[in-house]
Amino acid sequence: MGLDVYLTYGNTWFVRDIEGDDYFGETPFSTHDYYEDYKDIIKGIHIKDEPHKDEVPEFANPTLIKDFEKVYPNAKYMVNIVGITAGGAYYGYDSYQYLFDDYVDSIVSKLKNPYISIDLYPFHNLAVEAEKQVALGYNIVAEGAKKTGANKTFIMQASTGVEFYDELSEGDMRWQVYSALAFGAHNIQYYCYSKPEGRDYNCCMLMPDNKTPSYLYYYVQEINNEIQSMASTMLSYDWDKSIGICGTEEISLRVASLAYDKNLEENKFDNAEHFDSATATHDLIVSRFTSEKHGESYMFGNFAEKEKSNTV
């Protein structure tokens, strides 16, 4: 098993899929316990990807969740959902907000270690202007995580071709990662590292031979090194709120949903100590993070059209 390598070198691991025959019922983890020898290095187990509304009760079953938490007390119970660009109708919901709320209320709120996992791929041929929905979609996730105290994982697009754009620039990768961080991401993952069977992608993190690093690999390597250098500081704060600032020279509509509140008044931070206002030539996200020890801190995210700079 590949986990032996991680055990040898002391690395931790998220298990992608449940393995084994007859892995069903309400107590499959204690009944089979396939990963008994690897519990110290398993940080989470992927239980289900993008469940339909009709499937949610199965994975929200309290007996199933308790069985998992008994066998894997330190691991995350990982049910991944789609991002806002996929909508809710295909999954049985009237809207994406209903999909997300059901996920949080039915599954996330029942976990001892609340965990939210979401994939949102903005450079997509089948989702028109998906980039314009990132801020709204991530804000919905951040609000839900704040409500439940959940750890948040955002899955980035790191594949090209087929349903995705033919190429991704370093700027595209940076925008994805730093946008997720602006909404309080605790973990960043990438789809995909190697080319999945049956998917004829131009490349993923690896080239189609699944051996040679692609140009995306080197982009991500540099970005990951950057964020690791400040990860401990960022993780000492909790996301509180994000607001949108529409550009004075060009508006991309990427942040319009966060520029105004429900009363159509300018969105502001309540009782801000270190922020008054901001203007920008292009669309901007401003996020407030708070810490009992350090007070408040702010992060600015460039939401201009692709590759355009922003003067704040």
Side-chain angles (χ1 to χ4, degrees):
M1 179 182 284
L3 287 173
D4 288 327
V5 175
Y6 290 84
L7 190 63
T8 300
Y9 291 99
N11 294 334
T12 56
W13 187 250
F14 284 91
V15 177
R16 176 65 180 84
D17 289 301
I18 296 297
E19 296 181 0
D21 296 329
D22 300 321
Y23 214 113
F24 304 103
E26 291 189 319
T27 58
F29 308 104
S30 58
T31 300
H32 298 281
D33 202 4
Y34 287 108
Y35 301 109
E36 180 179 6
D37 297 331
Y38 306 97
K39 291 177 184 176
D40 290 341
I41 64 168
I42 291 177
K43 295 187 69 175
I45 296 181
H46 188 276
I47 306 298
K48 177 65 179 177
D49 190 42
E50 302 178 355
H52 186 275
K53 181 179 181 180
D54 294 340
E55 297 174 304
V56 168
E58 176 183 355
F59 303 103
N61 184 334
T63 303
L64 178 70
I65 292 174
K66 288 180 181 178
D67 186 55
F68 174 89
E69 293 176 337
K70 176 183 177 181
V71 177
Y72 300 102
N74 300 315
K76 304 295 186 183
Y77 183 91
M78 300 166 59
V79 176
N80 179 67
I81 61 167
V82 294
I84 193 171
T85 53
Y90 181 81
Y91 298 91
Y93 296 90
D94 291 336
S95 72
Y96 182 76
Q97 185 71 63
Y98 285 138
L99 181 155
F100 184 79
D101 288 347
D102 188 31
Y103 167 67
V104 169
D105 294 341
S106 298
I107 298 176
V108 177
S109 64
K110 295 179 180 178
L111 304 177
K112 288 183 179 178
N113 298 311
Y115 185 89
I116 290 174
S117 176
I118 179 174
D119 55 51
L120 198 167
Y121 308 135
F123 307 111
H124 202 299
N125 292 321
L126 304 180
V128 180
E129 298 185 321
E131 298 148 76
K132 289 185 171 65
Q133 300 182 65
V134 170
L136 175 59
Y138 278 180
N139 194 68
I140 290 173
V141 173
E143 290 285 2
K146 181 180 178 180
K147 174 183 174 183
T148 58
N151 189 290
K152 303 183 290 297
T153 289
F154 293 80
I155 303 176
M156 309 288 98
Q157 178 183 336
S159 303
T160 63
V162 192
E163 72 266 37
F164 299 132
Y165 289 7
D166 287 337
E167 292 186 11
L168 292 175
S169 68
E170 181 178 356
D172 293 333
M173 298 307 299
R174 286 183 176 278
W175 181 69
Q176 287 189 85
V177 172
Y178 281 95
S179 294
L181 293 176
F183 287 91
H186 296 93
N187 308 286
I188 300 290
Q189 296 180 0
Y190 298 90
Y191 177 85
C192 298
Y193 184 75
S194 58
K195 186 173 76 71
E197 184 177 351
R199 293 284 192 177
D200 193 23
Y201 291 134
N202 296 342
C203 72
C204 298
M205 300 276 275
L206 299 180
M207 296 299 289
D209 63 7
N210 282 343
K211 297 178 182 179
T212 309
S214 73
Y215 69 95
L216 294 175
Y217 177 94
Y218 296 106
Y219 289 162
V220 169
Q221 182 183 58
E222 182 175 349
I223 296 167
N224 281 356
N225 285 337
E226 285 179 14
I227 62 178
Q228 282 303 312
S229 69
M230 54 186 175
S232 60
T233 299
M234 295 191 72
L235 291 173
S236 68
Y237 287 85
D238 295 318
W239 178 90
D240 179 59
K241 183 178 180 179
S242 295
I243 65 174
I245 307 293
C246 294
T248 57
E249 295 182 6
E250 183 178 70
I251 297 176
S252 68
L253 299 180
R254 288 180 169 190
V255 303
S257 60
L258 302 184
Y260 301 95
D261 61 22
K262 294 180 180 179
N263 298 317
L264 300 181
E265 299 289 339
E266 182 180 341
N267 212 355
K268 297 181 179 180
F269 296 111
D270 296 328
N271 303 314
E273 295 181 19
H274 303 299
F275 181 88
D276 182 26
S277 63
T279 58
T281 55
H282 295 75
D283 286 359
L284 180 77
I285 284 289
V286 182
S287 294
R288 178 167 66 181
F289 294 80
T290 59
S291 163
E292 289 187 8
K293 180 178 180 180
H294 304 296
E296 65 177 24
S297 182
Y298 292 86
M299 180 175 179
F300 289 57
N302 182 14
F303 268 66
E305 291 284 2
K306 288 184 63 170
E307 308 297 341
K308 291 187 177 180
S309 60
N310 205 344
T311 301
V312 181

